[in-house]
Amino acid sequence: MSPYPVNLELSGQPVLVVGGGPVAARKVAGLQSADARVTVVSPAAVREIGADPDVRWLARHYRPGEVASYRLAVTATDDPAVNAAVRADGDRANVFVNSADDPSNCSFTLPAVARRGDLQITVSTGGRSPGLARWLRRRLEGQLSDGYDDLLALLTEARAEARATFGTSEIAGWDTALDDGLLELVQQNRAVEARERLLGHLGLRNQEVLA
């Protein structure tokens, strides 16, 4: 089966991390970047977890069924039995569970993410090879040159104008506009010209202004 890719809105949502080692710390950091409310369950924890006032650390073992109190869960232990128990509890409670380096106990997988401001490009191998996903992410990061943030801002503004004019932003012209050198214009500090070119492709301006 092919997994269904989504971006989750976790701001303010309770998320459980089972495990307290370096891998768990990386998972916690990623969840915190999404503004999730993170609870860690582990008898011991690395300093990044234990000394973080924004992390609720419960210094004990996982208790059967407690995953039901959370919106999402991640296991980062070296004990397959614990991972399997959390996954089984999650299935019963309709809570999605990711198990680090244990795809058989995952109900969702985490892609590698290349970021440039609000722009995110994700790479997933369906849990088969995290190493390949990370390698491809690094290659993509190298291609996200300056200008993408400004281009995204320009497109966001134009999308709002399209909605106001047509009642929807699902209109023709986006692809042809992006193929028409918008990024290069933004990178050359020619934002006004880029904007007029974009709006022309979207039917929001008379093409004559582009001459």
Side-chain angles (χ1 to χ4, degrees), residues 9 16 209:
E9 175 54 68
L16 175 67
V209 301

Side-chain angles (χ1 to χ4, degrees), residues 61-175:
H61 292 288
Y62 174 78
R63 293 173 180 169
E66 69 176 302
V67 74
S69 299
Y70 299 87
R71 193 67 178 271
L72 199 74
V74 175
T75 62
T77 79
D78 56 4
D79 188 340
V82 172
N83 299 342
V86 178
R87 166 68 191 275
D89 287 347
D91 287 347
R92 283 188 287 270
N94 292 319
V95 175
F96 285 103
V97 177
N98 173 265
S99 295
D101 201 27
D102 189 358
S104 65
N105 284 312
C106 289
S107 54
F108 76 96
T109 58
L110 295 169
V113 182
R115 288 187 175 90
R116 173 73 70 169
D118 286 334
L119 177 63
Q120 296 185 13
I121 300 176
T122 61
V123 181
S124 174
T125 60
R128 295 180 61 194
S129 178
L132 176 59
R134 289 192 300 270
W135 180 77
L136 284 171
R137 180 206 67 204
R138 290 194 299 270
R139 288 176 64 91
L140 289 169
E141 282 177 335
Q143 297 178 33
L144 292 179
S145 57
D146 293 336
Y148 277 94
D149 277 348
D150 292 333
L151 177 60
L152 180 56
L154 177 66
L155 293 168
T156 301
E157 183 180 281
R159 186 183 184 197
E161 290 193 36
R163 283 175 171 167
T165 302
F166 304 117
T168 178
S169 63
E170 297 297 321
I171 60 177
W174 295 104
D175 291 347

Side-chain angles (χ1 to χ4, degrees), residues 13 15-17 28 31-32 36-40 54-56:
Q13 298 296 322
V15 178
L16 175 67
V17 175
V28 168
L31 290 165
Q32 287 180 315
R37 293 191 291 112
V38 181
T39 296
V40 172
D54 294 325
V55 174
R56 178 176 174 242

